[in-house]
Amino acid sequence: MNNGIISRLSLRRYHVQIWLFVVPFLLGAMVLTILPALATVAVAFTNYNAVAAPTWAGMDNFMRLLSSVYVRISLRNTIYFLALAVPLRLLGALLLALLLQSERRGFGLHRAAVYLPTVIPEVAYALIWLWILNPVYGPLNMLLAGLGVQGPAWLTEPGTARFSIVLLSLFTIGEGFVILLTGLRTIPRSYYEAARVDGATAWQSFWRITLPLILPWLLLLTFRDMVISLQNTFTPSFVLTYGGPYYATTFVPLLLYELAFDFFDFGMAAALLLFTYLVIGLIIMGILNLVGSERGADDF
Amino acid sequence: MKKLKSMIHHSLGWVLTAVFLLPLLWVLVASLRQVGLPPPTTVEWYQPDPQWQNYQTIFERVPMTRYLQNSLVVVATAVPLTLIIASMAGFGISQLPVRPRRQLVYVSIALLIVPAAAVWLFRFQILRWMGLLDSLWALILPAFTGSNALFVLLFYWTFRRIPGEMFEAAQLDGATAVTIWWRLALPLARPTIVGVTVLTFVMYWSDFISPILYIFSPRYYTLAVGLQILNQLDRTNWPLLMAGAVVMTAPVILMFFILQRFFLHDLSLSNLFEKN
């Protein structure tokens, strides 16, 4: 009995200690992530220059957003980027995962090679592309010339500059690739064997087994990529073109940076952020709705 | 037929490897080119007269040594701090009763979704109020959030897979939570520790946005900013710019080869997802 009391006491002590283990993380996350994020939401409705106390502005910032030509350009660029980069990155990651999931000899190396560009530091990666895309010194136009194609000027023309930012995002798909490899491995081999016994072709088993079972992973990746790859336009557009030429590569994160840290218009910057992620949230809900109505919501 | 298919499959693998790796070889070759030479007429696959002193020149043009030092200080502080905070949190969460455990897992997942840009503005303010703006601490501080909630979750998943009886037995022997975490749990989480170490290293080593936002004095610039300075100094001096890119990338690639054993081979990552 005595023993029981002691162990109950020690158990309680253990539980207190366990809570203390979580405290540093919760405190850090609270101070450095949750509070800043909440404050950003609140400040979107105020005038705030980061020095004087914020004053209530209601919807003013949002009205200014809608009438600002720079905001309109940056939103258009961002939507262009999302509409092109997210599906292409997803498709690329899926194709690579399907092709390279094999356990044959040498495929470990192929998988490593595909992942490698993803770990290159962003600035170095941007500088490498600055060189690759250079019309005179860069290897890309030399390769194109070898094929008899006159390469464009890339970063000095608005259209090709905007596309360049998409292009360089297509080779950093390692994370999606690994996540989909993991997803593919969760599909039991026996499904494919049963399908083969029933005489299904590889194409059929892809559409009937692989795709439906990997769909939740694909959706998750799509949503993640919409947030992350948008964020990842910052460094390339900062280093390669600084938003130019003619604002062609001014995406929301860069404009946000300019508004907040060059003009100290925190209110407007916060409103832009809120508006952008509201739009992204709506797109995500739209996709969920579309998929949900087609397959029945019970899959989620 | 089957043999042909296998051959096509293999050659496709090699083609993909080439597409993803060759640009890196080109960069290495370009970094050894003589400065000021007229542009090449074809893609260069090797350098007949490699100019290794390009790597010395970048250290003379800009205070690269200082930048390198700062980057190393940030990494050397942030990585161990992240490992402690994230593994403690992961361990704590895994030992809590069902309800708070689930809630904290949800909190961690919610933290994963917060876009980085959403914290730019007020991290700036909080750092200013703490007096840490324009110091290396501004770059290290995110370690107190576990650097990334994913790391906390990775540790959590790892510790959940260790049979609970082991910890209970140690508890009954009067072991404190700290002892159990340090002596029992951590030694069993070695692959996770290695994985998180590498990911954290890459994260802080590569961080470009935080120093751009929170550092103003050149003496606190890290390598990432140094590269941008090199770029602004002379935008068309390709050999030097590429040498800078190589210096910045080499340690990460080294780390990556440690990582790939844990993430791309076998099933380590899938193991983490199967049971939680």
Side-chain angles (χ1 to χ4, degrees), chain A residues 63-252:
Chain A
M63 291 300 152
R64 276 164 66 212
L65 278 188
L66 294 178
S67 59
S68 159
V69 66
Y70 301 111
V71 169
R72 221 171 309 148
I73 291 172
S74 81
L75 283 173
R76 207 175 50 208
N77 289 338
T78 299
I79 287 170
Y80 168 92
F81 178 83
L82 289 179
L84 218 55
V86 172
L88 286 176
R89 281 165 56 91
L90 199 68
L91 197 68
L94 180 61
L95 280 176
L96 288 170
L98 286 169
L99 277 169
L100 300 181
Q101 62 172 329
S102 158
E103 285 309 321
R104 282 176 224 215
R105 214 154 50 91
F107 276 71
L109 174 76
H110 301 326
R111 285 194 289 268
V114 164
Y115 191 90
L116 197 66
T118 308
V119 298
I120 298 176
E122 278 187 306
V123 196
Y125 189 71
L127 281 183
I128 290 170
W129 276 94
L130 194 62
W131 171 69
I132 288 179
L133 295 171
N134 184 281
V136 181
Y137 285 86
L140 182 57
N141 277 7
M142 282 173 205
L143 282 182
L144 289 175
L147 299 170
V149 181
Q150 166 77 49
W154 296 110
L155 297 174
T156 46
E157 296 284 333
T160 48
R162 201 181 297 121
F163 179 73
S164 298
I165 306 288
V166 175
L167 184 67
L168 68 91
S169 83
L170 299 183
F171 292 90
T172 51
I173 51 179
E175 285 172 16
F177 168 68
V178 169
I179 291 171
L180 288 178
L181 276 177
T182 308
L184 288 173
R185 283 197 176 118
T186 60
I187 302 173
R189 295 279 130 221
S190 55
Y191 289 14
Y192 293 108
E193 276 148 31
R196 202 174 311 134
V197 170
D198 288 344
T201 62
W203 188 244
Q204 280 171 327
S205 52
F206 170 75
W207 282 104
R208 298 287 173 81
I209 301 169
T210 314
L211 200 61
L213 287 174
I214 202 100
L215 192 69
W217 296 74
L218 286 174
L219 283 172
L220 203 75
L221 261 184
T222 310
F223 304 152
R224 182 179 172 277
D225 220 43
M226 284 176 127
V227 175
I228 290 193
S229 68
L230 170 60
Q231 183 72 43
N232 289 348
T233 60
F234 180 82
T235 306
S237 61
F238 191 97
V239 174
L240 289 174
T241 51
Y242 204 83
Y246 311 112
Y247 301 97
T249 57
T250 301
F251 301 97
V252 166

Side-chain angles (χ1 to χ4, degrees), chain A residues 44-45 56-64:
Chain A
F45 302 93
W56 184 252
M59 299 301 283
D60 281 5
N61 288 326
F62 294 91
M63 291 300 152
R64 276 164 66 212

Side-chain angles (χ1 to χ4, degrees), chain B residues 38-130:
Chain B
T41 46
T42 53
V43 178
E44 291 181 322
W45 296 97
Y46 75 102
Q47 213 52 258
D49 180 21
Q51 306 286 309
W52 294 101
Q53 70 268 28
N54 286 349
Y55 284 86
Q56 204 181 327
T57 311
I58 53 172
F59 279 81
E60 288 156 5
R61 288 272 170 99
V62 293
M64 221 41 169
T65 318
R66 167 53 65 95
Y67 303 154
L68 197 64
Q69 263 171 14
N70 287 337
S71 282
L72 287 174
V73 168
V74 168
V75 167
T77 319
V79 172
L81 212 56
T82 300
L83 283 175
I84 291 171
I85 302 273
S87 73
M88 278 179 76
F91 179 71
I93 295 172
S94 77
Q95 295 297 101
L96 285 170
V98 190
R99 262 184 57 139
R101 187 171 78 216
R102 254 196 218 139
Q103 284 162 350
L104 285 180
V105 169
Y106 288 144
V107 167
S108 307
I109 291 172
L111 281 169
L112 276 180
I113 308 171
V114 177
V119 302
W120 285 1
L121 307 182
F122 279 91
R123 242 183 219 180
F124 179 86
Q125 286 296 48
I126 285 168
L127 288 168
R128 192 162 71 172
W129 290 326
M130 290 171 124

Side-chain angles (χ1 to χ4, degrees), chain B residues 35-264:
Chain B
V35 174
L37 230 51
T41 46
T42 53
V43 178
E44 291 181 322
W45 296 97
Y46 75 102
Q47 213 52 258
D49 180 21
Q51 306 286 309
W52 294 101
Q53 70 268 28
N54 286 349
Y55 284 86
Q56 204 181 327
T57 311
I58 53 172
F59 279 81
E60 288 156 5
R61 288 272 170 99
V62 293
M64 221 41 169
T65 318
R66 167 53 65 95
Y67 303 154
L68 197 64
Q69 263 171 14
N70 287 337
S71 282
L72 287 174
V73 168
V74 168
V75 167
T77 319
V79 172
L81 212 56
T82 300
L83 283 175
I84 291 171
I85 302 273
S87 73
M88 278 179 76
F91 179 71
I93 295 172
S94 77
Q95 295 297 101
L96 285 170
V98 190
R99 262 184 57 139
R101 187 171 78 216
R102 254 196 218 139
Q103 284 162 350
L104 285 180
V105 169
Y106 288 144
V107 167
S108 307
I109 291 172
L111 281 169
L112 276 180
I113 308 171
V114 177
V119 302
W120 285 1
L121 307 182
F122 279 91
R123 242 183 219 180
F124 179 86
Q125 286 296 48
I126 285 168
L127 288 168
R128 192 162 71 172
W129 290 326
M130 290 171 124
L132 297 177
L133 213 55
D134 198 23
S135 77
L136 290 182
W137 278 110
L139 309 180
I140 295 165
L141 221 59
F144 285 98
T145 67
S147 291
N148 185 334
L150 178 69
F151 302 157
V152 174
L153 287 170
L154 283 175
F155 274 110
Y156 163 74
W157 285 322
T158 308
F159 294 135
R160 284 292 290 163
R161 291 171 55 221
I162 299 170
E165 298 90 58
M166 261 183 76
F167 297 139
E168 276 158 32
Q171 265 173 56
L172 290 177
D173 286 346
T176 61
V178 175
T179 316
I180 296 177
W181 165 68
W182 186 254
R183 290 278 172 81
L184 223 67
L186 280 183
L188 290 170
R190 213 162 279 154
T192 312
I193 293 174
V194 174
V196 171
T197 302
V198 176
L199 290 173
T200 315
F201 174 89
V202 174
M203 178 176 160
Y204 285 91
W205 182 261
S206 311
D207 189 6
F208 176 62
I209 296 176
S210 303
I212 286 284
L213 295 179
Y214 311 131
I215 302 283
F216 319 109
S217 312
R219 67 196 160 113
Y220 295 127
Y221 284 170
T222 56
L223 212 50
V225 187
L227 236 57
Q228 171 69 354
I229 303 243
L230 202 62
N231 177 28
Q232 284 166 342
L233 219 58
D234 190 350
R235 276 206 89 147
T236 49
N237 198 336
W238 299 114
L240 295 193
L241 285 180
M242 292 305 103
V246 170
V247 167
M248 174 124 208
T249 308
V252 174
I253 290 188
L254 204 74
M255 277 287 180
F256 168 74
F257 279 107
I258 307 173
L259 169 87
Q260 60 118 5
R261 273 189 54 217
F262 289 90
F263 277 77
L264 297 176

Side-chain angles (χ1 to χ4, degrees), chain A residues 26-40:
Chain A
L26 286 181
L27 210 65
M30 184 57 93
V31 173
L32 291 170
T33 309
I34 298 171
L35 282 179
L38 291 178
T40 304

